[in-house]
Amino acid sequence: MTQQERKQRSKEKILAAAMAEFGTKDFDAVTMDGICFAHGISKGMMYHYYSNKDELFLLCVERTFQELRAHVERDMAHLSGEDTAAAVKDFFMIQECFFQLHPQQKLVFESAMLRPPKHLAAQIQALRAPMRRLNQEFIEGLIDKMPLRPDLKPEMVTRYLETIESLFQNMIVSYQGGHPAQDFHAMLETAGELLNMVLFGILRHADPA
């Protein structure tokens, strides 16, 4: 094994350990010493490559966004032939499928999006930018096919769906009374109910006089 390969292997080991810690604990509960102790990493090796937990957290966030974007980009290709409501639902659920497969990255994502350390917020938004552009492009394509209310502008609907997308998992849990779905099928059913109300509202339209 070359020196470069050993270096990369050491960095990947540290990143995996950091992902395990940030993927099971809130940001404030994670420490560099704790990562070293829990995963058999010497402090010398840790500090040779990474100077603080901010750096490690941002690496975990970057890896999560990169892998999530690749997953979404790959799976969203089949949505172009669906009707609008089904495409929106499946777009939201593609992300949930990723987090079902990668539960540690789910907490990293939620920490970055919903509870970001204030001093890292700008860096997190920069790391999120490619994922956000992908979402915006897809949502804008959907909006072109939507029969929008006459008082709504496309850019307003784009912001609305972006906001819903980033909060969707927490909305599902809250809608279920604070208890996560027991299986993915149950989550799909709940997502369908919730998105039906998100997209079409809850008030019956009055018949014209």
Side-chain angles (χ1 to χ4, degrees), residues 15-33:
L15 179 58
M19 188 73 77
E21 293 299 299
F22 288 116
T24 54
K25 302 173 184 175
D26 288 335
F27 175 85
D28 289 340
V30 178
T31 65
M32 296 284 274
D33 286 353

Side-chain angles (χ1 to χ4, degrees), residues 7-8 32 42 61 78 108 114 126 135 138 143 150 186 194 197:
K7 176 181 177 181
Q8 187 59 33
M32 296 284 274
S42 71
V61 172
H78 76 279
V108 170
L114 304 178
N135 287 348
F138 179 79
I143 290 172
L194 198 53
M197 290 184 280

Side-chain angles (χ1 to χ4, degrees), residues 35-187:
I35 295 173
C36 291
F37 179 78
H39 300 274
I41 297 169
S42 71
K43 290 184 181 181
M45 185 172 81
M46 171 67 83
Y47 285 99
H48 177 72
Y49 295 112
Y50 302 108
S51 57
N52 55 59
K53 78 169 185 178
D54 289 356
E55 187 178 358
L56 282 176
F57 180 69
L58 290 172
L59 283 171
C60 291
V61 172
E62 181 178 28
R63 178 67 62 88
T64 295
F65 283 148
Q66 287 174 343
E67 294 185 359
L68 175 60
R69 187 180 190 279
H71 173 90
V72 171
E73 197 167 26
R74 182 182 66 246
D75 286 9
M76 73 191 308
H78 76 279
L79 303 185
S80 58
E82 295 185 332
D83 66 70
T84 303
V88 171
K89 176 183 173 182
D90 287 349
F91 174 67
F92 278 56
M93 294 312 297
I94 284 172
Q95 179 171 288
E96 298 311 317
C97 289
F98 174 82
F99 290 131
Q100 287 280 319
L101 296 171
H102 306 281
Q104 290 180 350
Q105 288 173 294
K106 174 181 172 62
L107 185 57
V108 170
F109 179 86
E110 290 178 349
S111 295
M113 295 299 298
L114 304 178
R115 302 178 297 277
K118 290 182 179 180
H119 64 291
L120 300 179
Q123 290 158 283
I124 290 170
Q125 287 305 311
L127 292 173
R128 185 192 172 214
M131 184 73 213
R132 189 178 183 194
R133 283 194 297 271
L134 179 66
N135 287 348
Q136 287 175 329
E137 289 170 6
F138 179 79
I139 290 171
E140 287 167 1
L142 284 177
I143 290 172
D144 286 341
K145 305 173 186 177
M146 289 181 176
L148 300 180
R149 283 172 20 202
D151 59 318
L152 294 179
K153 296 179 181 180
E155 56 268 27
M156 294 166 60
V157 180
T158 297
R159 291 199 305 270
Y160 171 67
L161 291 178
E162 273 194 292
T163 301
I164 295 297
E165 188 266 344
S166 65
L167 301 173
F168 192 58
Q169 176 59 38
N170 281 4
M171 290 175 65
I172 290 177
V173 174
S174 180
Y175 180 68
Q176 293 171 321
H179 304 289
Q182 295 301 308
D183 55 51
F184 193 64
H185 179 71
M187 181 186 287

